[in-house]
Amino acid sequence: MAPFTLLLLFVFVFFPALSFADRCRPNDKITLLKIKNSFSNPNVLLSWDPALDCCGWYVVECNETTNHVIGLTILYDQISGSIPDAVSDLTHLQDLRLKKLPLLVGTIPPAIGKLTNLVSLEISWTNISGPVPGFLSNLQNLEYLNLSFNKLSGSIPASLAALPNLSGIRLDRNRLTGSIPVSFGQLPGSRLYLILSHNGLSGELPASLGNVDFDTIDISRNNFSGDASVLFNASKTTTTIDISRNKFEFDFSRAGIMAGSLITLDISHNKIWGNIPRKITDAVNLQFLNVSYNRLCGEIPTGWRFKYRASNFDYSSFFHNRCLCGSPLEPCKP
């Protein structure tokens, strides 16, 4: 074996820390250490040793070509404190996830609004409070926004609809009030999902929502009222509609059914009236249906053509209505 090869082998075996070049950008390392030092009990960040390459640190992702930090994912830990302003110095960050951090408090700082390369932002299952900040509209590259399971309050900023690449919004399980902004009818793209459940939102749905071909819309467990039929259009490709546990009142018999795409439909616990549209039996992909606790009447349609269900929907899908009848409920009277 050549002497140079032996020397390399010696270095790799006895000095492994010197075997690889430090890819980490110095400014990124300084910033990450500031972030670590801003938290108490950062057990998940123990690998963040300044003597080591930050691109090899746990929960950090670097770009393979530029070596800039592009991902930071901190999950399931007891770190305490608030989101530090230093995060804004990670100027190439594309993915920021702070999830299941029950001791994370404070508000969403303006520093987040400076991360203009963000594609995905998740701050969920924390004790973050305050408003959903309007400065999030600065994140023009954002495709995914998840602020669920926090203590956020106030109204939904209309400016979120100005994000040109947004494909998904989750604001569920907060303390939000007010109505859905009219501007959400101009949400860009297609196959969008909007999840706003378990809040204190109210008012009528803006008619502009009829312009959006949602993949998923879940506005359940709020205080919405009025007509929700704007969400039902046979020409759309929606897979999931959940408007349950609100105060909606409209004629369900006029609702358009997305027969080719609908998988989940829950309109339960409202004041919806009329018949169940017969077209619903053509929804071959339908796997979950709940129309209970409404004011529906007429015969439950028969002749379901399920593609993935082995049996028809049972009693619990239809009970507690004004005068629905037919299997699986009581037979209709002559």
Side-chain angles (χ1 to χ4, degrees):
M1 186 177 294
F4 181 71
T5 304
L6 285 173
L7 178 61
L8 285 178
L9 182 61
F10 177 82
V11 169
F12 273 78
V13 172
F14 294 101
F15 300 96
L18 301 177
S19 303
F20 302 95
D22 191 341
R23 296 171 49 211
C24 187
R25 295 276 181 153
N27 288 341
D28 284 350
K29 178 178 283 189
I30 291 171
T31 298
L32 289 171
L33 290 173
K34 286 181 180 178
I35 292 172
K36 177 182 178 180
N37 292 333
S38 72
F39 293 128
S40 300
N41 306 317
N43 294 326
V44 73
L45 309 180
L46 289 177
S47 69
W48 290 20
D49 184 339
L52 301 177
D53 177 13
C54 80
C55 291
W57 290 354
Y58 185 57
V59 308
V60 174
E61 179 187 359
C62 290
N63 182 282
E64 293 293 332
T65 303
T66 67
N67 297 328
H68 288 295
V69 172
I70 59 171
L72 180 59
T73 302
I74 304 177
L75 310 174
Y76 304 97
D77 197 58
Q78 295 299 308
I79 64 170
S80 59
S82 56
I83 301 172
D85 289 339
V87 72
S88 66
D89 293 329
L90 295 175
T91 55
H92 292 80
L93 201 62
Q94 297 176 19
D95 185 6
L96 176 61
R97 297 184 67 203
L98 305 172
K99 180 179 180 180
K100 286 289 183 77
L101 306 174
L103 302 181
L104 189 65
V105 296
T107 60
I108 299 173
I112 297 292
K114 299 177 182 179
L115 298 173
T116 54
N117 286 303
L118 275 184
V119 174
S120 176
L121 173 61
E122 177 177 1
I123 304 171
S124 65
W125 295 86
T126 75
N127 272 298
I128 290 289
S129 58
V132 177
F135 58 69
L136 294 179
S137 61
N138 296 336
L139 308 179
Q140 292 290 293
N141 292 302
L142 200 65
E143 297 177 5
Y144 173 71
L145 176 63
N146 183 351
L147 302 179
S148 62
F149 289 85
N150 294 301
K151 293 182 177 178
L152 299 174
S153 58
S155 58
I156 300 173
S159 58
L160 291 181
L163 293 171
N165 301 303
L166 203 59
S167 62
I169 303 176
R170 285 196 62 177
L171 301 175
D172 49 304
R173 304 269 182 172
N174 280 290
R175 300 171 178 177
L176 301 177
T177 54
S179 58
I180 296 177
V182 174
S183 62
F184 273 35
Q186 282 75 53
L187 282 167
S190 59
R191 313 302 297 145
L192 297 162
Y193 68 89
L194 178 65
I195 303 179
L196 305 175
S197 65
H198 295 80
N199 278 290
L201 298 168
S202 60
E204 297 191 3
L205 300 187
S208 61
L209 290 185
N211 301 327
V212 184
D213 187 8
F214 291 103
D215 175 86
T216 296
I217 181 162
D218 183 353
I219 55 175
S220 61
R221 294 179 183 268
N222 281 287
N223 295 308
F224 292 116
S225 58
D227 189 352
S229 62
V230 66
L231 303 177
F232 295 84
N233 187 320
S235 65
K236 293 186 178 183
T237 56
T238 306
T239 64
T240 299
I241 298 178
D242 190 345
I243 61 172
S244 62
R245 295 182 183 272
N246 281 287
K247 300 174 184 177
F248 288 120
E249 298 182 62
F250 63 96
D251 184 355
F252 192 46
S253 63
R254 297 185 178 182
I257 302 297
M258 307 80 166
S261 60
L262 197 60
I263 297 174
T264 297
L265 176 60
D266 192 343
I267 66 169
S268 63
H269 294 268
N270 282 288
K271 300 177 182 179
I272 299 169
W273 44 279
N275 301 325
I276 298 176
R278 183 158 296 278
K279 185 69 176 178
I280 201 170
T281 61
D282 294 333
V284 295
N285 297 306
L286 194 61
Q287 297 180 43
F288 179 86
L289 174 68
N290 192 350
V291 302
S292 64
Y293 288 91
N294 277 294
R295 299 175 179 178
L296 299 173
C297 278
E299 186 173 6
I300 297 171
T302 58
W304 300 85
R305 298 188 295 164
F306 298 123
K307 190 174 182 180
Y308 300 107
R309 282 185 62 91
S311 59
N312 289 339
F313 297 109
D314 62 20
Y315 174 84
S316 63
S317 293
F318 304 100
F319 70 154
H320 283 280
N321 273 285
R322 176 170 289 167
C323 46
L324 271 185
C325 59
S327 179
L329 301 182
E330 294 293 323
C332 294
K333 298 178 180 179

